[in-house]
Amino acid sequence: MPEREALRPHQSQAIRRICRGITEHSSGTHPNFLLQHAAGSGKSKTAAALAKELLLLRDPSTNQRLFLFAFIVVDRVHLTQQLYETASRYLAELGAPTSWVALSSSVNQLQ
């Protein structure tokens, strides 16, 4: 298996800051975050890596998982398959279960 490609510094920093912000506000409400990326800066990989970290994130006081699901929503049909493939490949390289990634073309399939 080829060596997995590491996240770029801006990707790692954004994910760390978001996770820290969430755990610092563990009162049941979580702050809002906006990630902006330029073209070619690794949006798909950042989204996949952030979803993985959110699924592993635990409340520091109770050690309970904070998130049971992470949804990545795209507003362009052509990005759906690209993001699915990127997330599947990246998470598989990390040893995540294949059940962590699913492709849905409508909200009805999420129920």
Side-chain angles (χ1 to χ4, degrees):
M1 175 180 260
E3 185 176 322
R4 69 181 159 95
E5 185 180 327
L7 293 174
R8 298 176 193 164
H10 71 276
Q11 294 169 307
S12 297
Q13 181 182 48
I15 292 166
R16 277 193 312 274
R17 286 182 176 178
I18 290 171
C19 290
R20 184 174 53 239
I22 290 169
T23 56
E24 289 174 356
H25 292 86
S26 60
S27 63
T29 60
H30 302 295
N32 295 316
F33 296 94
L34 172 66
L35 274 175
Q36 291 182 301
H37 277 281
S41 61
K43 293 177 285 297
S44 295
K45 187 179 264 189
T46 302
L50 178 59
K52 177 202 135 246
E53 291 302 320
L54 292 176
L55 291 172
L56 297 175
L57 204 57
R58 295 189 172 270
D59 184 313
S61 61
T62 64
N63 201 33
Q64 291 186 344
R65 287 178 55 190
L66 290 174
F67 299 97
L68 298 178
F69 302 98
F71 295 97
I72 302 171
V73 180
V74 296
D75 63 349
R76 308 272 190 303
V77 173
H78 70 277
L79 294 178
T80 305
Q81 189 66 33
Q82 173 191 328
L83 182 55
Y84 174 74
E85 290 170 5
T86 299
S88 296
R89 185 174 48 252
Y90 178 74
L91 293 172
E93 289 172 355
L94 297 175
T98 57
S99 62
W100 278 21
V101 181
L103 182 61
S104 174
S105 59
S106 76
V107 70
N108 294 334
Q109 293 175 333
L110 299 175
Q111 298 175 358

